[in-house]
Amino acid sequence: MPALRRDIGPFLQRMRAFLLGREHTLALRFEDGLADRTQPPPEIPYPVLRSDCYYHGRDPRRIVAPPVDLVQANLKIASDSKPAANRLPTPGQVYKWD
């Protein structure tokens, strides 16, 4: 059973229409004024990701990687004795305790 439309009585509706100079439009939404929900959901194909596709490099699924252990990475870099410019950043400022 659809919901009944809430409004004022018929006499007051006619008086309101006369004073407004038009029929009043209710701001409330009722089931009989909405679109039907009987249509099936869309079938969107999974995107084909190729290297020649413009969005291939911007696909966020390809950016995900396991986390980097900074301690192990810094130890590996130190053991390889590479220049300091290629070192990984450390998280925040280090406070030197006395």
Side-chain angles (χ1 to χ4, degrees):
M1 179 175 173
L4 298 175
R5 291 184 174 262
R6 294 182 297 265
D7 202 5
I8 58 178
F11 174 73
L12 292 176
Q13 285 179 1
R14 288 192 304 265
M15 183 185 290
R16 180 179 59 192
F18 173 75
L19 293 175
L20 283 175
R22 61 178 174 83
E23 286 295 320
H24 175 68
T25 304
L26 287 175
L28 302 175
R29 297 187 302 174
F30 294 95
E31 185 177 352
D32 60 339
L34 299 177
D36 292 335
R37 303 290 185 226
T38 58
Q39 56 189 353
E43 295 180 15
I44 302 173
Y46 190 78
V48 178
L49 299 174
R50 303 180 311 270
S51 60
D52 60 340
C53 180
Y54 172 71
Y55 293 104
H56 176 75
R58 295 176 45 192
D59 185 17
R61 292 171 290 185
R62 299 184 186 278
I63 299 172
V64 176
V68 176
D69 185 7
L70 291 177
V71 174
Q72 294 298 328
N74 282 340
L75 289 175
K76 182 178 177 186
I77 289 173
S79 67
D80 292 343
S81 67
K82 291 184 179 179
N86 290 338
R87 292 191 178 202
L88 293 175
T90 56
Q93 298 290 336
V94 178
Y95 182 76
K96 302 290 185 184
W97 291 90
D98 292 332

